Amino acid sequence: MSGPDYTHETLALSQGFTLIAGVDEVGRGPLAGPVTAAAVILDPDHIPAGLNDSKKLSAKRRAALYDALLGCADVSVAHARVAEIDEINILRASHLAMERAVQGLRQTADMALIDGNLIPRGLSIPAQAIIKGDAASVSIAAASIVAKITRDRIMGALAQQFPGYGWETNAGYPSKGHKAALLNLGVTPHHRRSFKPVHNILYQGK
């Protein structure tokens, strides 16, 4: 199966759009940490070779592509904090992070390609939602790489402050070790209290 290509971007260009941002988020499933989104406007003449869905790349390849993208593309990263996730729910928070990422671009994008089946309602520009977009569009694939690398590094740093939860390897996802640590060590300020496994620990016996 071939990887993502520039077809969706070419179509948008043919419709009169000039600056097309690929947008993706990472971190909807974890029990801890922010949800992180990236928006990337690629230079059609300087697209790094090998862009793909971040989950299909080795850590080494992801890191190399991340560095390449920072050098040749307009890249913006944004987050929604744990408090925001708990307040407005994870789907809305992931959309909020996407909206912030688009707003943070150096150039003003006039079209967004969004990974998923929903367009964030706060976007001020035309957008197209593409299911499995990180496997279809190189711009979205680029955003998926940037978002994952950024969030993994945040969770690695938090793991230094809160050892024992395994965030440096599980990135806050509900691995067996993470769930065991929640029971043994308790809930940190970085845990999402609206998520059932965390909520249940906080309120058991109350």
Side-chain angles (χ1 to χ4, degrees), residues 4-16:
D5 59 29
Y6 205 68
T7 306
H8 289 282
E9 291 82 351
T10 302
L11 184 61
L13 289 166
S14 74
Q15 293 166 346

Side-chain angles (χ1 to χ4, degrees), residues 9-10 17 26 33 37 40-41 81 84 101-102 104 111 121 130 137 141 149 151 154 164 166-167 173 191 195:
E9 291 82 351
T10 302
F17 298 108
V26 66
V40 177
I41 299 175
R81 303 183 309 277
E84 292 174 313
V102 171
M111 166 73 176
R121 60 177 182 235
I130 304 170
S137 151
I149 289 268
R151 191 180 182 282
I154 288 169
W167 291 343
Y173 282 87
H191 277 101
F195 278 45

